[in-house]
Amino acid sequence: MPPQRMTSPFVQATPAIPSRPVGQSLLQIVPSTACLHCDVCCRFPESDSFLRPFFTADEIRLAVGAGLAPERFSDVEGAQIEVVPNPSGEGYLCPAFDPATSHCRIYDRRPLDCRLYPFALMWDASHTQVLLGWDTKCPYMRDLPSAPIEQAAEGTARWIEEDATLEILARYPRLVGRFQDDVIVLRPLARVTERLQQGRLPVRMQPLTIEDRHRLESALAESPGAQELPLAAASFAFHYIWRHRLTYSWADLHGHLCLFADSPDGIFMVLPPLGTGPLAEPVAAAFRLMRERNGSSSVTRMANVPEASVAELRAAGYVVTAQEPDYLYAAADLADLVGDAYRSPRAACNRFLREHDGVFEPYDPRDRPACLSLFREWSEQKQRAGEDDWAKALLEDATGAHEAALSAYDELGLTGAVVRVQGRIRAYTMGLWLNQSVFCVLLEVADRDMVGAGPFIFREFCRQARNKGACWINTMDDSGLPSLARAKHWYRPARLLPNYTVTEPRR
Ligand code: SF4
């Protein structure tokens, strides 16, 4: 199901909302008859969809006055609405949407974000220009010739570039969305761009591509703590495989490479500024940039900060909060499984070999279809085992990450392995080198109905890494999942590597 978006239902013209300082009405291009028979708008595939409409403070007041629960807004000063599960069981609905009648219950008071649709305001891919486009998810627009679209776009662009609307956009920059490649660009909005960039940092944001791998890895290698025991997040692949969930971009701030992710709630830094030298200037610039983009959203933060940078950031007045740590093991422990502490995993490996005689082999990109099919089997096994909602959501998200790792295996510099039983792949794993002595296991899938398949591929993979020089194995954090934490503790971590999030002090 494609992402879905808010509506422009029912009428041709929208009356001006008295409390909004925008003088003229905005013409609706989609007629009400079309909207009433369409099942795209106001519905969202995920609860945190970035397409949920944004309401300004005035619009929140109006919506609440029209009967919407105030709890639907995380911040009364402006927020994307919190959606509710669709009673049909498929996806989520805007709480103002009545699925029985396909009407918006606050139609006369719906926000600017909804009134614009199917036109969309967005930044270009490098975040240097604001564009007006139309969303190809709207079926009515897809069938419309270009002349009426152009004509309506002209009126809409004029309306958007009026002083009153510009002031709203300057106050609520989140009304201008991130670049979407399924939005057809109609024209740049020079006045909006200029207004939004007034007094702002002149930063060129670059979309993260596979070509940036060596640039990012070199910057990581120069950063504090890189030669010691790095976090799993201190690698290119760790982030790149999540591009189906987050849009990554980077910028050079004071000679440091700063990596940002665009989430449904705004942008945040997924790593501290990378490179050599003091962090004060790049960190201050990065927070300013995030504030400019996010307004007051609490998403503004710097994640995956290693212990090595904490003292400097605390001394500069930032708030440092501990997150789930990475699990770090002595490679020799996991490779040999010697002693009483490892009796259970050792027994599981022995049983697997006795009963299935599995063969451990390097991953070959031709194994991808079989691995993905095993991933689907494994997901079903986990669902049957009764995972909680958080675990299910993680599992759903993980599908894209596994697909990306298995596809871009070579470009990402991953090491992979499979276990075959009678020719069929029953387990696979992928990992990468964080530095010369630390190997990170990035993902692992094993047939849960085959006892010992998981412990066996894990031991063999760690053995291979130890034989190639690894002293330490990092298996990332436990995502707050008790079952995963138990499994990680089962192998006796030598250390838990602290991982911090850094925010600005409250003003
Ligand atoms: S506010 Fe109304 S028009 Fe906007 S998404 Fe919700 S139901 Fe649809």
Side-chain angles (χ1 to χ4, degrees), residues 65-140:
L68 270 195
E71 304 80 63
R72 291 284 143 219
F73 301 98
S74 59
D75 183 348
V76 290
E77 293 306 319
Q80 281 181 292
I81 200 160
E82 290 183 6
V83 292
V84 294
N86 188 337
S88 74
E90 199 183 343
Y92 298 83
L93 298 179
C94 171
F97 183 71
D98 179 351
T101 62
S102 293
H103 279 63
C104 168
R105 294 188 185 99
I106 59 161
Y107 184 69
D108 288 343
R109 298 173 179 211
R110 72 198 191 287
L112 171 60
D113 207 358
C114 297
R115 296 200 298 147
L116 275 176
Y117 195 77
F119 290 116
L121 282 174
M122 66 175 187
W123 287 98
D124 64 6
S126 61
H127 212 280
T128 49
Q129 266 197 116
V130 177
L131 306 170
L132 177 68
W134 67 268
D135 187 354
T136 56
K137 291 187 277 301
C138 174
Y140 180 83

Side-chain angles (χ1 to χ4, degrees), residues 153-209:
E154 199 179 314
T156 302
R158 253 200 323 271
W159 185 87
I160 290 169
E161 299 218 298
E162 283 174 8
D163 289 346
T165 321
L166 289 180
E167 286 320 302
I168 294 178
L169 296 177
R171 187 162 165 215
Y172 298 101
R174 287 174 65 198
L175 281 167
V176 180
R178 67 190 190 206
F179 179 74
Q180 298 173 66
D181 54 13
D182 59 353
V183 167
I184 306 279
V185 175
L186 292 162
R187 63 187 67 205
L189 296 170
R191 285 200 79 204
V192 181
T193 306
E194 191 189 332
R195 182 66 189 87
L196 262 57
Q197 286 178 340
Q198 257 172 33
R200 298 201 160 175
L201 281 178
V203 174
R204 183 169 163 70
M205 299 287 277
Q206 320 248 31
L208 185 76
T209 68

Side-chain angles (χ1 to χ4, degrees), residues 335-349:
D336 298 334
L337 299 180
V338 170
D340 270 1
Y342 292 101
R343 194 182 324 143
S344 301
R346 194 168 63 239
C349 292

